[in-house]
Amino acid sequence: MTYSQITRGHKGILAALTAALFFILLNSGSPTPLYPLYKETFELRNIDLTFIFSSYGFGVLLALFLSRKLNITGKNAKLMLVASLMVVVVPTLCFSFAGSLHALCAFRFISGLGAGMVTAIINTLLIKFSQGDSAKRAAQLGSLALVTGLALGPMISSVYSQLAFYPLASPSVTIATLVSLSALAIVIFWPKHTPPSASAVGAKATENNDADFSKTRFYLLALCVFISWSYAALILSLGPTTAIDVFGLQSSAYFGYIATSYLLVAGVVQLTLPRFLKPEFSLILGLIAQVFSMVIMTMALEDGSVLSAAISLALSGFSYGAVFVGGAILVNKMSLAAPDWHAVSKFYFIVYLFNATPLAAGWLADKMGVFSALLASIFLFMAIYAVFSALALWLLLLRKA
């Protein structure tokens, strides 16, 4: 069955689910350009800023861990999803008016709890409501919403910052409103007929499933995406200060546009690359491309070259998109082959461990300076990427052949 043959009701709910995931990820990345402003307003250290960044991720991790115990059925899925969206809305509004580091971290943590539950539920529902090649379509919709949400979140904050229109409050209020609207859309477009169970979908799809279930392959895929997100987190967390100190950027607000461009490249790659490459090739190509991007970024940092940094970020965005969509498609196929193993929730749990990266980077930046910390981290990531490129090439292509 082709995409054009999907019922109108399913098109509506797929769009509503994708929009909800997109708005959730707006919330994830929106504080990035505001870190220097938080630092100045609340007199924070670099590591304090990474606490704000990471508290959200730890909330997501806890929710994803707990979500493996959820039994998502046609009867309870809508209620669970709307309730989880409200868990995002309320603390996000509170975050916009927080007046201390502890309050900022607490509200971001609670918001992360809701976001983690939403991520687990929506990615499961995208597979259930999709038809035809559900693993591929669900991965494309989910990963596209995730990356474009991460991309446009910083831009919203940058715009409010440049307009000087309550920059610490306006982004959160805007995003909370959008998340509320997405919850309403889900209620409106929820189809009368409940989606088939995960086991039924798995049984139907296994016939044409070319990704046999394997724990070794699963953990490799999850760790590949984890290191991809970790490197992106390193760039986004230390990037604003580096852009000002090394490349002469006049305002940290401009870095929001850089982050948006970086992640939009990833979004375009996720939308287009699966049409031309199998997911295994996409993931391996992305890993190799990231090694080259880090070599170029190292030279850019040494020379202070804006052009080299731009080329590195463009190549890194390509890598981010290629690794993510390739890994997500393969994991979704594994989920269809073994629905009781909860591969999707486990996958995102491992991936969201990337939130420890900014915390470590912030600590390192306070110890040895932002420039030295970024350079040392890039060298470490370069070695890790080289190892995982070799492992992926062996397990996904050579051993399979």
Side-chain angles (χ1 to χ4, degrees), residues 101-114:
L101 175 63
H102 293 92
L104 289 170
C105 291
F107 290 131
R108 285 294 282 174
F109 176 78
I110 299 170
S111 181
L113 283 174

Side-chain angles (χ1 to χ4, degrees), residues 342-373:
H342 303 290
V344 172
S345 293
K346 291 178 180 178
F347 172 71
Y348 282 103
F349 176 82
I350 293 172
V351 169
Y352 268 89
L353 290 170
F354 85 93
N355 285 280
T357 300
L359 195 61
W363 176 82
L364 200 61
D366 284 331
K367 293 294 182 181
M368 56 192 301
V370 173
F371 177 82
S372 298

Side-chain angles (χ1 to χ4, degrees), residues 32-281:
T32 300
L34 302 176
Y35 284 149
L37 188 56
Y38 281 115
K39 185 176 183 179
E40 178 182 348
T41 303
F42 297 104
E43 299 181 351
L44 304 177
R45 301 167 297 169
N46 286 315
I47 194 169
D48 294 330
L49 298 177
T50 60
F51 280 135
I52 300 173
F53 186 101
S54 298
S55 58
Y56 179 88
F58 291 140
V60 173
L61 280 173
L62 179 59
L64 288 171
F65 177 79
L66 296 175
S67 70
R68 294 181 297 173
K69 305 296 183 181
L70 292 178
N71 182 24
I72 303 173
T73 66
K75 295 181 179 181
N76 65 18
K78 180 171 69 173
L79 178 60
M80 290 171 59
L81 180 54
V82 172
S84 297
L85 287 169
M86 291 304 101
V87 175
V88 175
V89 170
V90 175
T92 299
L93 286 173
C94 294
F95 177 81
S96 63
F97 301 106
S100 68
L101 175 63
H102 293 92
L104 289 170
C105 291
F107 290 131
R108 285 294 282 174
F109 176 78
I110 299 170
S111 181
L113 283 174
M117 296 301 293
V118 170
T119 299
I121 296 170
I122 286 183
N123 277 284
T124 300
L125 291 176
L126 286 174
I127 297 175
K128 289 184 177 183
F129 281 118
S130 294
Q131 298 183 31
D133 189 354
S134 59
K136 181 177 179 180
R137 183 174 297 115
Q140 284 184 290
L141 290 174
S143 59
L144 184 63
L146 283 163
V147 173
T148 53
L150 286 171
L152 296 178
M155 190 173 75
I156 291 175
S157 298
S158 294
V159 171
Y160 281 124
S161 180
Q162 281 192 296
L163 295 175
F165 185 76
Y166 302 103
L168 296 184
S170 297
S172 296
V173 173
T174 300
I175 292 168
T177 302
L178 292 173
V179 174
S180 298
L181 291 175
S182 72
L184 179 61
I186 287 170
V187 173
I188 293 172
F189 288 107
W190 194 269
K192 295 179 180 179
H193 301 290
T194 58
S197 65
S199 58
V201 175
K204 183 177 180 180
T206 303
E207 297 177 6
N208 298 319
N209 183 17
D210 59 355
D212 295 330
F213 179 76
S214 164
K215 289 185 179 181
T216 302
R217 283 164 54 86
F218 167 81
Y219 286 116
L220 173 66
L221 294 170
L223 289 173
C224 284
V225 178
F226 160 72
I227 62 169
S228 179
W229 282 34
S230 295
Y231 182 70
L234 174 73
I235 296 298
L236 295 178
S237 59
L238 295 185
T241 304
T242 304
I244 294 173
D245 294 347
V246 178
F247 299 108
L249 200 68
Q250 295 181 351
S251 170
S252 62
Y254 293 127
F255 186 79
Y257 302 118
I258 296 173
T260 295
S261 301
Y262 169 75
L263 292 168
L264 283 179
V265 169
V268 171
V269 169
Q270 290 179 27
L271 187 63
T272 58
L273 198 61
R275 301 179 182 180
F276 307 104
L277 287 179
K278 290 184 176 181
E280 295 90 345
F281 287 102

